[in-house]
Amino acid sequence: MVTIASLWLAILVSGIAVWLASSVVWMVLPFHKSDFKAVSDEVAARDALKGLAPGMYNIPHMASWDDAKTPEGAQKFEEGPNAFITVLPTGKPNMGKQLTIWFVYSLLVGTIVAYLTSRTLDAGAEYLAVFRIAGTTAWLAYGMAAVQDAIWLGRPWSFVLKGQFDALLYGLLTAGVFGWLWPVA
């Protein structure tokens, strides 16, 4: 039986590989540059949102879906805008903190991949078998939440498809590392 502890190096190296790849995808390649749009009057939008505590908001906001059934509630939805807004803390974003959390998340995904793959395959398993299980698990872990965001929060499907491509890249990297560092029999 393969233990998760015996896969510590695969977890670490796959986390590093994903972290580096995501840095290239998001900071170097032009792939995600069109994901976010500017509002027509940023000053007015910023003024309207000023003072909101960090958190998630929706417009129009209904205390319950029964309110949406009233003529006034229905009119708000018809007139628009309809939006989900995430307000972050004021100040320059702390990219160091976010990149650290992303790396820890990549290690968590690697640990989940290690768990599932080690429970599915024995030591000495063929590279392609390890690649298939590890890659599928990693792709699901990195990519599927974005689909829910499109369904429920209105994220553009183009954004989700780009995220699926990213997740596939991260899954392939994770699969390659696990196949390479899989214990021999």
Side-chain angles (χ1 to χ4, degrees):
M1 180 168 123
V2 176
T3 65
I4 294 174
S6 70
L7 297 171
W8 72 269
L9 186 59
I11 294 168
L12 179 63
V13 172
S14 67
I16 292 168
V18 167
W19 190 88
L20 290 171
S22 69
S23 295
V24 170
V25 167
W26 279 91
M27 292 188 254
V28 177
L29 300 178
F31 192 54
H32 286 286
K33 300 248 187 273
S34 64
D35 286 346
F36 296 92
K37 299 175 186 171
V39 295
S40 59
D41 187 350
E42 185 175 332
V43 173
R46 290 179 70 226
D47 287 343
L49 297 173
K50 197 166 279 191
L52 284 179
M56 296 189 317
Y57 300 87
N58 62 329
I59 298 172
H61 180 74
M62 304 287 162
S64 77
W65 277 106
D66 290 336
D67 294 343
K69 296 175 187 173
T70 66
E72 298 82 14
Q75 183 178 358
K76 287 180 182 180
F77 280 106
E78 289 301 319
E79 290 175 353
N82 302 321
F84 293 101
I85 301 168
T86 302
V87 176
L88 304 175
T90 315
K92 187 177 178 184
N94 184 348
M95 289 304 291
K97 176 182 175 186
Q98 291 172 307
L99 289 170
T100 299
I101 293 170
W102 172 241
F103 179 65
V104 170
Y105 177 74
S106 297
L107 294 176
L108 175 64
V109 170
T111 303
I112 292 167
V113 169
Y115 171 77
L116 187 62
T117 309
S118 69
R119 297 308 176 260
T120 307
L121 301 170
D122 292 323
E126 291 184 23
Y127 176 89
L128 190 56
V130 175
F131 188 95
R132 191 172 34 243
I133 301 296
T136 301
T137 305
W139 174 68
L140 289 170
Y142 284 116
M144 288 296 107
V147 175
Q148 294 180 52
D149 285 349
I151 293 168
W152 297 108
L153 301 177
R155 291 274 179 144
W157 283 101
S158 61
F159 181 78
V160 172
L161 291 175
K162 290 177 191 179
Q164 291 303 307
F165 176 80
D166 296 351
L168 179 61
L169 174 63
Y170 307 155
L172 292 172
L173 287 169
T174 302
V177 169
F178 271 79
W180 167 46
L181 296 173
W182 193 254
V184 294

